[in-house]
Amino acid sequence: MHQKQFPKDKEEQNRYVQPTALSEEPLVADSTLAPDRFVGTTIANRYEILSLAGKGGMSAVYRSRHLLTQRIVALKLMHAHLLTDENAVRRFQQEAKAASRLHHINAISVLDMGVTSDDEPFLTMDFLEGRSLAREIADCGKIEPKRCIHIFLQVCAAIAHAHEQSIVHRDLKPSNVMLIQVDDDPDFVKVVDFGIAKILREGSESLKLTATGDVFGSPYYMSPEQCMGNQLDARSDIYSMGCLMYEALTGRVPHEGKNVLETMYMHTNLAVPALTEIDADPRLKFRLDQILQKCMAKVPDQRYQSMNELRDDLTEVSGSTQKGLKIAAQLGMNAADKGRKFDNKLAGISSKKLFWIAAPLLAVLGTVVISIGYYWLSTANDPSPADRELLPIRNISGSDMAEKMANKTTEQCLSSPEVLTKSLNILGQTEQAHDSNIMLYDLLLKSYKKYSPEEFYQQLRRYGFYFMKTGDYGEAIDAFEKAIETSVRGKFALPLENAPLQASIAECLISSGDGTKLDKSLADSGSASVKAYNFALLAYNGFQDSNVKTNPMAITNLGNLLELCSSSPERLQRGSAFLIDLANLQSIPPSVKAKVYYQAAQFTESCEANGIKELRMPTWDESRSTMTLPLKPTQTITEEMLDGALKAWEQLQRKRTVLRIAAYNEGVIYNKLGLIEQKQGNLPLAADNFTAALQKFIANNEAEAAAKVMFNLSDVQLQQHDLLAYYEMHRNAKRIWDGLLHPFNLDLLKKPRV
């Protein structure tokens, strides 16, 4: 945006910052427009172009006739000079995609789409004979409340439908609300122009087109988060809806600055004026004012959380009888008006004083502003803070180990004479050992009657552990559950024999990997976590009853219990007992310790996040020669557990089979330690940890993980006010993240941490 070129006229301002959408009357013919090369031609052999209806920054709209049905439609055609702009083409396609999802009487929808003979994309929509709400406001000045509410309810219904289709309009304003005559209703609403709509949860392509940091929309109706280029959701449309309602009721926008930046500043910082100027019952004014204030709250969490909630309140207000005393409502309006005016005046006075006080520091302030501007623009498409907390690799069995397991399991199954002939035929049909094992497992299930219950139980156990090692968790769970069911029915397996199977089911349920066959609805609903916790608890009781505490499977199950407790605040109290059990164990194998100590750190970190600042931990009391359970800071336990996991991975690096995984997981732990130190304000130590993590990932050829750590490191450099280091680190991180650079090509590393 160029501040000096910002037009003073409001409709011109809307067009200025809305390059991808048409202006006020997008679907009504305008005879004053210059002749167009498409008028009089036929598009795609079925649409006759009658006249030019309007133009926008991305496209033009034509009044057209479908040659077969003779129906008049609006044909939207992308400008030819934008065909080489890949993002522009995709945004045009996304408008078609968004509008084609809409099937609501108050929202415009796409009828057809295609390309011209010159490969120019187009789409067709209903041609609306009517006027925009913006034109109606300009002609009437104010629109009386009852009529406004009738219009607002329809807009809410249309946008609520869009939100249900995961579409955020992002440019809701009066010029995008068309009023047409339908039967006896002269104010039948059609919401138009989804040209910059954002389709949520559509993957990376959608994110690239409407990335955080891009500022689209019209400044008079933009939410605070939209003004700041932050991530948007449905609540941003609710803020814009509040601005639209305010203008319709009062005849003026809630915030109007001298330029774009001032208007956006007002949205972000100033209170919305009270509805004192409308002519209505004071009780109605007071209730509408409350609704608008809730719509236009600065913090999204304080707004209506859905358009349906807003529609419910408007429906209640639309009733003919107003509740309460008029005098009380009038006093409430006066108090609200004075309070907001005082707040805004105070903000203005403070700003003026600050300017004169800070005059000698304007050069420094300019540098800061430029830096913040760079930060806002350059951080678009960065991985989110949550994504920068890397996850360790859970399964440390390499592909070579999985192949050996496959061959071994095949041999075991082939040793059964009952399936020998069929097995040989299967092996002749496939070259993959894993595929053959899946087929052999199916044969085993079909021929279970040829085995004794004990033999069938043992075969199921073997297959369960094999599938678990190869990452086929769905098959593994199936085999383990059938084995447990067989032992219970046959009454021959002891609790200790089934405990490893129950522990393994829990392990599979909380793991992820290629080939998983877990029901997605089960995983999404949280039922997988509950099921995993229940199986892990059964296994824990089985190991405890048999006094088997140092078995690697029992220790692994203990770690899984801690991880499952960390994901549910209700389980944290029970998890503290599991943590004490783990701390009491001695001589844990490194391959087990590396994982369970990390899970213990997850648990203690969750405790701290939920307000549990201290936990009891076993400590040897020299004076009494006994173990005690004093309270210990949760944060200290987290760091100790991460340090223990790190040392275990360092021991495992000596094994060639897990060298790469060990190095990767060390980097994960260094990165987590860095985030912890950064949160505590220990910036030099945080930088050292991030640097150590970066060293591991670069040496391990992990470009994506290295980029995430570099983003974290650049944040620390920014907090340390080392701007030159920040610019260089962040720029390189972004290039690696976008696939334009490999970290091997940069001298990024300091000396390794000792």
Side-chain angles (χ1 to χ4, degrees), residues 399-413 427 432-437 440 463 466 469-470:
S399 58
D400 55 338
M401 187 181 298
E403 188 66 24
K404 290 175 183 177
M405 283 288 296
N407 295 333
K408 182 178 179 182
T409 309
T410 303
E411 291 169 5
Q412 289 171 339
C413 193
L427 287 173
Q432 300 295 328
H434 183 63
D435 292 341
S436 68
N437 274 284
L440 289 169
Y463 271 109
Y466 160 67
K469 285 290 184 182
T470 55

Side-chain angles (χ1 to χ4, degrees), residues 673-674 677-678 682-690 720 753:
L673 286 168
E677 298 297 345
Q678 183 182 9
N682 300 329
L683 299 183
L685 191 53
D688 286 346
N689 279 298
F690 288 139
Q720 293 175 317
R753 172 178 167 175

Side-chain angles (χ1 to χ4, degrees), residues 724-743:
L724 292 178
Y726 162 76
Y727 292 146
E728 183 181 2
M729 183 63 68
H730 186 270
R731 175 175 172 272
N732 288 328
K734 203 168 187 66
R735 292 173 67 195
I736 295 170
W737 182 250
D738 293 335
L740 303 176
L741 180 69
H742 195 284

Side-chain angles (χ1 to χ4, degrees), residues 13-14 172 217-228 236 239-244 246 253-257 259-273 295-299 303 344:
Q13 292 181 22
N14 287 344
L172 191 57
S218 304
Y220 291 116
Y221 313 95
M222 287 165 60
S223 65
E225 60 268 28
Q226 196 171 4
C227 291
M228 293 186 290
S236 179
Y239 184 96
S240 301
M241 181 70 184
C243 298
L244 179 153
Y246 187 96
V253 292
H255 294 302
E256 184 171 13
N259 51 52
V260 171
L261 295 180
E262 186 175 338
T263 301
M264 293 168 74
Y265 170 84
M266 294 169 76
H267 277 295
T268 308
N269 295 280
L270 300 189
V272 179
C295 284
M296 291 184 279
K298 305 302 180 189
V299 180
R303 297 177 203 150
N344 291 344

Side-chain angles (χ1 to χ4, degrees), residues 669-725:
I669 295 173
Y670 277 126
N671 183 62
K672 193 172 187 68
L673 286 168
L675 292 170
I676 291 173
E677 298 297 345
Q678 183 182 9
K679 185 178 179 181
Q680 296 173 7
N682 300 329
L683 299 183
L685 191 53
D688 286 346
N689 279 298
F690 288 139
T691 302
L694 188 55
Q695 183 182 39
K696 295 292 181 182
F697 292 136
I698 290 180
N700 216 23
N701 198 25
E702 297 285 352
E704 181 178 323
K708 291 182 179 181
V709 174
M710 290 169 66
F711 283 120
N712 288 334
L713 184 54
S714 69
D715 284 349
V716 171
Q717 292 166 337
L718 186 61
Q719 289 177 274
Q720 293 175 317
H721 309 295
D722 190 350
L723 296 183
L724 292 178

